[in-house]
Structures are given as C-alpha cells and as structure tokens.
Amino acid sequence: MAMMLEFGFGTGVQTVQVPEENLLGVLHANQVPLELTGEAEVRRALEAPIESPRLRELVHPGEKVAIVTSDITRPMPTYKVMPPLLDELYAAGVRREDITLVFALGSHRKHTAEERRKLAGERAWNEIACVDSEPADCVRMGVTGAGTPVDITRVVAEADRRICLGNIEYHYFAGYSGGAKAIMPGVSTRDAIQSNHSMMVRPEACAGALESNPLRMDIEEAGRICGIDFILNVVLSEHKEIIRAVAGHPVAAHRAGCRFLDRIYLKLLPRAADIVLVSQGGAPKDMNLYQTQKALDNARHAVKQGGIIILIGSCREGLGERVFEEWMTRSASPEAMIERIGRDFQLGGHKAAAIAMTLRKAKIYLVSDMEDDFVRSIFLTPQPSVQTALDCAFAELGPQATVLAMPYGGSTLPRIAD
C-alpha cells in the first residue's frame, strides 16, 4: 500500500506516493492546549515573572530605561507587547522621557520613520523615543571568553536599566532566537557579530541546542557583561499570534519559553531516515531559496549520513538575496563556502555556508521552478517533481530506504532519540 502525501509548492501542491512500509512518519506541530493569548498573555507574564521581581519593583523613578526589540526582518509583534510593558514601567514611576525603544538592527539596514512607527505601535510611538541602534556609536563594555567584543550601541550601554524583547523560535546556529540575542548581535557592531557568528561552523551550533552550543553561550556571556535586567519574550503560532509569553530573568525566562516551543514543534524520532521529503509549506515561505533554506536545515537533523534530502519549494524568485547569490554562484565548491564563513562572516553568506554544511551530510534533490542547469551550478540536483525525485532516491539508495515527510519543515525540528 502507498500513502499519498501533499506538499505546498508556491500557491499549489506537489503530491507523491510513498510506500507505507518505508514511511517513518509525517511531522506536524503538536497540539498544545492554550489558555490566554495575545495581550492578555503578555500581562499575565508580566504579573508572574520567572526568577525575578516584577518589573515595577525592579525599576525606579529617574532611571533611564532602554527597551531593545527586534527589527523589521523578524516577526516579533512589538506593537502588541508595548502597551502592557509601558503600563508596568509607569506603575513604577518611570517617566516617559526616560524610556527609549531601540530597534536592534544587527547588521541590517536602518528603518524609515514609518517602519519604526509601525513596529512600535501608535501608543509607544506617541509616548516614548523610538530609535534604531547605531553600530557606529558603541561603547566597549568588555570582551567574552571567546574573544567577542561586547560593543553596545550607546543608548543601551548608558541606560540604567535594560529590557530585552523578542520572539522565540528555532534558530539554525544560535539554537533558539530570543533572550540575550537582542544584545548580541542585536545592538552590537559588525566586528562583534563576525566574532560570534563565525562559530556557526561548529557542529554544536545548531537548532535546538543551548548549553552545548558555544555560539549561544557566547551570546549569553555578552548579555551578562552588558547587563540585562529583564526580558519579555513571546512564542508565536504559525499565524504569528502570541500563544505564550515569558518574562523575568534573562536566561531562566528564556529557557521556559524554549521548553514551551519544544512542546509544540520539537519532534523526537527513534532513528534517522534515508530519505527526507521537506517543504516550507508553500507560498510565501518558498518564494526563494534564501527562505526555503530554513526547512532544509531542519531536515538535516533527520537524515542519515549519506542520505538524500528532497527539498520542495517553488523558489520562483530565484535565490532571493544578493550576498547569498554571490556566494552560491561564485564559490568553487561547498567546502569553499564553509572555509570562507569561518574567516569572513557575511549575512547572506551564512545561509550559503549552511547549505554547504548540509551537503557534507546528504545529497540535496531540489524540486523547484528554477532552471535545471542553474540548480546544478549551485551544487544541488534538480528534479522535475517530488514523485520523480523519490523514485530516483529509491533507485540510488535501494527499495528498502526509509522515508520521513516534513510538510512544514521550517517549523518542525526533528531530534533523533539518544
């Protein structure tokens, strides 16, 4: 018997028949009962912080407060969390003119005023200063044990209190987003980001890894050197709604949020598969290879050494990012990309290196709308359909090869049970 599976592909679907005896499973998010959501959940978290006094007991009148939040490239709904956060600060007697909302640019471009306004929300925009971080005006606060300079944008470095916002999701080399990541790389310099992110080539720097992850540990050491007084992080549904908020201690609260994320999206598997079928779920998440790479990286954790990943994504807009395109099209080999990222970290290039690291483990068949010759030129194997790709994979690995399906590969993180 064969099971018919569907994978999102642009605005349509790709179907494939997988023999039931070969199929290890189909990964979907776990259903977790929810209580409060949205702003009500944020207020609950602020009223019951983890390993910390309430924010209104931590801050005092006259103190300068910097709130660090995500930039426009992240799904963090800052505009939803600012009203309850401002209420908490005002309850402590903090004046509006002593509060600054800082958008953590990392090495991304500056925002327009309209973008800052949209991110902050009308209330925060009208009541407090809302500024971008300034990598050219930083204060050296120390150096981590790994040698990463803790150079922090001045408005954050010189504040009396620092509050970090963010959303928690899997991050393919920092383990998870959120927590001290708002500080490093959020409000740091390019040199600091280069130092920290160059550790992404280490095998321990991977999605779902925390204490064993040298890159995440470096981020949190930078957070301790800078000094984070309080965090407010959220976990979002696939529809970007707040389904859990955590507040309080910068590490303990972050870990609580990570555990909640795992309850939904972490999938324990008894063994790795020979063949992994993976998709981002269709448009808009598969519009280019830069976006589709996230699903590929999660699939890497489920495939056997020497196996095959069948990556399913329209990529109708091509590669999708200038630096990524330069690395993918001009590198002599996948190994050259890995070598380069260790000495020359570049955003965009880091995703090319991540694809190269996956190629160390498995062959990648790509089912896309891109030209076959172009796909071959970027070290991937083009396939016209998922069914053809699976047939070729069976021909290469044998009729007994095991198959795992990840129709929403960007969200679900497989982990092989020890």
Side-chain angles (χ1 to χ4, degrees):
M1 287 287 290
M3 180 176 286
M4 179 72 78
L5 300 179
E6 282 191 354
F7 293 85
F9 184 85
T11 55
V13 295
Q14 285 260 345
T15 60
V16 61
Q17 292 199 21
V18 183
E20 287 187 8
E21 61 268 25
N22 297 76
L23 188 62
L24 293 182
V26 181
L27 302 192
H28 291 283
N30 302 314
Q31 294 302 308
V32 173
L34 302 176
E35 296 171 7
L36 298 175
T37 59
E39 188 175 315
E41 168 62 7
V42 174
R43 291 189 184 277
R44 180 209 60 77
L46 287 169
E47 290 165 6
I50 296 165
E51 293 189 23
S52 169
R54 279 191 73 162
L55 188 56
R56 63 178 62 183
E57 297 163 13
L58 272 176
V59 298
H60 303 100
E63 290 182 329
K64 300 285 187 186
V65 177
I67 303 168
V68 183
T69 195
S70 305
D71 74 351
I72 202 165
T73 67
R74 301 290 183 261
M76 169 65 191
T78 304
Y79 64 96
K80 289 184 180 177
V81 307
M82 284 307 294
L85 183 60
L86 288 173
D87 289 345
E88 190 77 4
L89 290 171
Y90 296 156
V94 179
R95 298 178 304 174
R96 295 179 179 185
E97 56 266 35
D98 288 335
I99 305 171
T100 305
L101 178 63
V102 184
F103 299 106
L105 295 181
S107 56
H108 302 160
R109 68 164 176 82
K110 288 188 174 296
H111 296 114
T112 65
E114 194 51 46
E115 286 171 336
R116 293 200 309 274
R117 181 175 190 158
K118 183 178 180 182
L119 289 169
E122 284 303 305
R123 183 174 164 194
W125 182 257
N126 290 324
E127 293 180 11
I128 63 173
C130 301
V131 304
D132 283 342
S133 62
E134 182 45 79
D137 183 22
C138 286
V139 176
R140 172 67 58 90
M141 302 185 79
V143 180
T144 70
T148 297
V150 184
D151 295 336
I152 304 301
T153 198
R154 186 172 299 277
V155 68
V156 176
E158 295 183 349
D160 299 303
R161 299 289 182 182
R162 285 172 280 272
I163 301 167
C164 290
L165 311 184
N167 71 292
I168 299 176
E169 58 188 358
Y170 293 116
H171 189 280
Y172 65 100
F173 57 78
Y176 299 76
S177 62
K181 207 165 174 292
I183 296 294
M184 171 70 66
V187 290
S188 309
T189 60
R190 179 169 282 279
D191 284 349
I193 297 167
Q194 166 81 31
S195 174
N196 174 262
H197 285 14
S198 65
M199 287 186 269
M200 71 170 282
V201 298
R202 300 193 194 176
E204 305 88 356
C206 61
L210 289 167
E211 276 75 11
S212 62
N213 185 334
L215 193 146
R216 165 55 73 170
M217 291 298 99
D218 192 55
I219 287 171
E220 293 183 346
E221 185 181 352
R224 288 192 296 276
I225 291 169
C226 173
I228 300 170
D229 294 280
F230 197 86
I231 70 165
L232 175 56
N233 282 182
V234 297
V235 176
L236 304 176
S237 71
E238 289 186 322
H239 304 294
K240 305 307 177 191
E241 296 299 320
I242 296 170
I243 54 175
R244 177 60 59 95
V246 290
H249 187 279
V251 175
H254 179 253
R255 297 297 189 268
C258 294
R259 287 192 295 273
F260 180 82
L261 188 81
D262 286 348
R263 286 173 58 196
I264 303 174
Y265 297 119
L266 185 68
K267 310 295 291 190
L268 288 175
L269 303 175
R271 63 189 190 279
D274 297 303
I275 302 164
V276 178
L277 299 161
V278 65
S279 162
Q280 272 281 53
K285 292 183 177 181
D286 71 346
M287 68 172 61
N288 55 51
L289 190 60
Y290 192 79
Q291 299 294 332
T292 305
Q293 179 272 339
K294 184 175 182 183
L296 174 66
D297 204 78
N298 285 349
R300 174 168 65 101
H301 300 288
V303 73
K304 285 181 182 175
Q305 187 71 37
I308 294 172
I309 297 172
I310 299 172
L311 181 62
I312 305 151
S314 163
C315 303
R316 67 183 184 279
E317 295 182 6
L319 297 185
E321 200 271 344
R322 182 185 58 80
V323 177
F324 176 62
E325 183 168 340
E326 188 260 314
W327 281 52
M328 290 296 293
T329 58
R330 298 187 186 177
S331 296
S333 66
E335 285 300 320
M337 292 188 255
I338 297 170
E339 184 276 329
R340 182 178 176 186
I341 202 70
R343 60 177 167 78
D344 178 29
F345 181 87
Q346 292 183 35
L347 284 164
H350 70 304
K351 289 210 174 192
I355 290 175
M357 288 160 68
T358 301
L359 283 165
R360 276 181 170 175
K361 187 176 186 185
K363 187 175 289 188
I364 301 170
Y365 290 177
L366 179 64
V367 180
S368 76
D369 287 326
M370 294 193 291
E371 293 290 333
D372 286 2
D373 286 346
F374 179 74
V375 171
R376 290 188 193 96
S377 77
I378 58 173
F379 316 109
L380 309 181
T381 303
Q383 295 287 359
S385 69
V386 181
Q387 189 66 61
T388 302
L390 182 62
D391 293 343
C392 289
F394 278 134
E396 189 165 337
L397 299 178
Q400 306 305 313
T402 55
V403 180
L404 182 75
M406 299 175 60
Y408 299 96
S411 297
T412 49
L413 178 65
R415 179 175 291 167
I416 308 304
D418 294 330

